[in-house]
Each structure stands twice: as C-alpha cells, then as structure tokens.
Amino acid sequence: MIDVVLGIETSCDETSAAVLVREPRGPSLASLVILSQDIHAVFGGVVPELASRAHIRTVVPVVTRALTEAGITLNSVDALAVTAGPGLIGSLLVGVSYAKALAAATGKRLIGVHHLEGHVFAATLEDPDLEPPFVALIISGGHTLLLDVPTWGRYCLLGRTRDDAAGEAYDKVAALLGLGYPGGPEVEKLAASGQERLTLPRPMIMSGFDFSFSGLKTAVLHAVRDSDDLERDRADLAASFQAAVFDVIAAKLERALKFTGYPTIVVGGGVACNRTLAGFLQTRIGGRARVAIAPPRFNADNAAMIARAGWFHLEQGRTSDLHLEAEPRLPWPGLESKPNPSTTHLTN
Ligand code: KG4
Ligand code: ZN
C-alpha cells in the first residue's frame, strides 16, 4: 500500500520536489517546491551545462524543503518517483542519480516516470475525480501531442507536430518581437494589449490531427520585417499569432472530440499555463465537453505531476530497479500509434 510518494523533477530548468499523501478521494498534494533557474533568461534559452550544475546545487535543499513543508521526514515516504526522461541528459542525471541514491540508502521503492505522462496526470491534482476516457493535448516547449486516452496508462497517439512544438513557436515568436525567455508568458501578456489586426495562417487547420507551427512563425517573421513601426505593431502581432495558435488548437480538439466521442478534454504542458488559452477553450468548447486544465503551477514543469504519475504505476505494482537510467529520448510507455483514417484526410 502506498500512502506517501516523494516526487523529483529535474528534466530541464526547474528543480522541483513534491509530496503526495493518500486521501480518501485520491492522492493529495502535501507540498510542492519549484525552483526555476533564472540564469537562462540572460542567454535567451536553456544552457544545458548551467542547468545541470544548478540542479546539483539545489536538488538536496529543494527535496528537504518539500519534506519540511509537508511536515514529514524521509522515514514516512513509501516510494520515490523521479523523471527518467525525456529531457536534457545532464539535468535528468541529477534527479535520477539522487533518487537512486536515496532509494539505495533507505530501501524505499523507486519508480521512473515519463515526463509527458506526468503532464497528462497534472490535471488530476486538483480534480481527483477526473478519469479517462478523454482527449489529451500536451503542449510544451519540446512536444505537441494529441492523444486518445481510453484509460490511465494507455495513450493512443492521434497527432503530433510535424515541425516546431507549440511552446517552441511561442519562444521563437517572442524572440522575433524582442521579448525575453521563456517567451510564452511574455507573448500572452503583450497579446492582451493588442488586437488581431492581421489574419495569420492557421497551418493544417483543415486536415487531420497533426500540427505545424513553423510556417506561422515564418509569417510572423515576415510581418515583423514588413512593419515600419514595430513598437506600434508588436502587441497586435502577438495577438494575431496567439489567435492563430488558439484557432488551430481548438479545431484539432473539436475534431478529436468528434472522432472519439469522449466527453472530456485535458490540456497540459507549459503552454497550458496560458490562462487566455484556458478561457478561450472554455468559451469555445466548454458548452459541449468538459475542459480540464490545471492551474499554472501544475502545468509548468513540477514534481507533483511526476509523483502523481508514479503513484499510478506503483499502484499497478510497477517499480524501477537501481539500474534506472536517465534517458533523454525515453519512449513513452503505453503510447500506441494507432493508425486511423483521420490523421491525413479528415476535413472537419
Ligand atoms: O512543459 P514545459 O514547462 O517544459 C517542457 O517540458 O518543455 O513547457 C515550457 C514551454 C515554453 O516554451 C514556454 O514558453 C511555454 O511552455 N509557456 C507558455 C506559457 N507559459 C509557458 N506558452 C504560452 N503561454 C504561456 N503563458
Ligand atoms: Zn514539461
């Protein structure tokens, strides 16, 4: 029986630890500490070497703080859940090595977690009644995946990006508009003061479940070059870009709802921190389906979602041994590429 899980996440540039405890309605958050590495903003992107060094410095204090805030000691922890991949190898290695060392020293159970599966579970942290079947959209800095989730642990891939991930598009557009890194929150903020004066392309909106964002980014680049007063146009360009992204996302979700017949969509990953997107999807889809989007601290990279996904696997009787390795390209366990006719020719 699992009563307390300690989660550790170090796949990119957040050092995070969380404690989940058993409650009658499901695993409940006792503490969550997220330490974001601000240093990367100076370089306009994550510098892997700096990220792993920062994780080494902070992982022990972050875990200690999470235990303290939960009011427990390591003795009460039943199992350790750690992100094993995908992510930056140097960053992943810190969390995995530390979790393995803790497991070896204490004899506690260990479970390696796939980072993207964590993002799917994030929405259950505040909404423990959320259950499959649902359509899940994971939109992060490195991935854009549309999934048919018939049951926990099974993920049928409906579509993915053919080029840039959604978050990557935000970050690149932010750079074009002279905004800082990470770009998503900056673009969202700027867009709020602008208007969609320019109709930008909605790539692949009419076909299937796959996404493409690089053409949209190039359209923004051309608009930036064509502008004779970028200072004046920036907010409108941000709003126009965001409107195009939202439209494509909503169209794919609507198509997936129709295709699966499911009553619920779950949106997760860093881009799901965008509250304007959450509001847009509620308005556009909320009347027909339940739209489940976790609050930003659970959609940004965090250890609570890793502990929650790990909890699920532990309850299924799975554990990792001390040979658990950090895998920058870890395949997603339970991900099926279900061939279906809709991936290429669906038009509505
Ligand atoms: O999931 P995540 O924290 O890290 C990865 O696993 O990749 O996602 C990070 C991405 C970045 O590209 C960031 O710009 C984007 O999420 N992001 C946002 C917002 N907050 C973060 N994108 C749009 N709007 C936001 N408010
Ligand atoms: Zn992530």
Side-chain angles (χ1 to χ4, degrees):
M1 170 101 151
I2 299 288
D3 285 319
V4 183
V5 171
L6 170 66
I8 300 172
E9 152 69 35
T10 65
S11 69
C12 190
D13 58 345
E14 263 89 26
T15 318
S16 181
V19 175
L20 291 189
V21 297
R22 179 176 293 281
E23 294 273 338
R25 281 181 77 204
S28 164
L29 189 69
S31 68
L32 169 59
V33 178
I34 305 174
L35 192 67
S36 296
Q37 303 172 357
D38 296 336
I39 177 84
H40 306 287
V42 177
F43 299 95
V46 178
V47 183
E49 182 59 32
L50 294 179
S52 60
R53 279 193 226 159
H55 286 306
I56 290 171
R57 278 196 303 275
T58 54
V59 69
V60 175
V62 164
V63 167
T64 306
R65 171 107 175 255
L67 292 170
T68 308
E69 285 187 9
I72 61 166
T73 64
L74 195 55
N75 281 340
S76 328
V77 171
D78 295 314
L80 306 156
V82 64
T83 307
L88 300 170
I89 181 65
S91 293
L92 290 165
L93 268 170
V94 177
V96 169
S97 309
Y98 180 59
K100 285 203 296 190
L102 272 185
T106 59
K108 294 184 190 299
R109 275 171 279 184
L110 174 71
I111 183 81
V113 173
H114 192 281
H115 180 82
L116 297 176
E117 188 174 24
H119 276 307
V120 178
F121 271 95
T124 67
L125 289 165
E126 274 209 347
D127 191 355
D129 300 329
L130 180 69
E131 285 288 338
F134 54 71
V135 168
L137 175 68
I138 302 306
I139 34 179
S140 72
H143 301 267
T144 300
L145 299 175
L146 188 63
L147 305 162
D148 164 348
V149 184
T151 171
W152 287 122
R154 267 194 72 201
Y155 311 96
C156 306
L157 184 65
L158 293 172
R160 64 188 342 156
T161 182
R162 298 201 178 168
D163 39 59
D164 293 350
E168 192 180 353
Y170 263 96
D171 294 334
K172 287 178 174 170
V173 164
L176 291 174
L177 297 177
L179 303 171
Y181 178 88
E186 304 261 331
V187 172
E188 181 187 8
K189 206 160 66 185
L190 185 62
S193 62
Q195 283 187 359
E196 189 191 2
R197 290 198 199 282
L198 184 69
T199 305
L200 292 171
R202 270 87 168 137
M204 303 190 70
I205 196 166
M206 296 301 287
S207 61
F209 295 129
D210 277 354
F211 296 81
S212 165
F213 291 110
S214 85
L216 175 57
K217 168 199 67 193
T218 308
V220 175
L221 171 68
H222 289 305
V224 166
R225 283 189 183 151
D226 291 347
S227 167
D228 51 16
D229 186 349
L230 189 57
E231 208 41 54
R232 180 198 65 208
D233 294 341
R234 268 176 3 136
D236 292 341
L237 279 175
S240 305
F241 163 75
Q242 194 163 257
V245 172
F246 288 5
D247 248 359
V248 171
I249 285 176
K252 303 285 170 180
L253 286 169
E254 283 167 341
R255 189 170 296 135
L257 280 172
K258 198 167 160 192
F259 177 72
T260 57
Y262 294 162
T264 306
I265 60 168
V266 171
V267 186
V271 181
C273 294
N274 190 311
R275 300 319 282 166
T276 320
L277 173 64
F280 174 86
L281 292 177
Q282 277 299 353
T283 307
R284 180 145 151 190
I285 300 179
R288 282 167 289 149
R290 177 171 172 207
V291 178
I293 305 181
R297 71 178 184 138
F298 295 143
N299 278 325
D301 286 348
N302 72 86
M305 67 183 194
I306 301 304
R308 183 61 190 83
W311 189 298
F312 165 76
H313 287 293
L314 290 159
E315 286 210 310
Q316 302 280 308
R318 282 178 216 116
T319 50
S320 305
D321 62 22
L322 294 178
H323 296 290
L324 178 69
E325 287 198 29
E327 296 264 8
R329 296 180 183 279
L330 183 69
W332 187 335
L335 183 68
E336 303 162 22
S337 257
K338 194 166 68 171
N340 69 63
S342 56
T343 47
T344 46
H345 297 304
L346 242 183
T347 53
N348 59 39

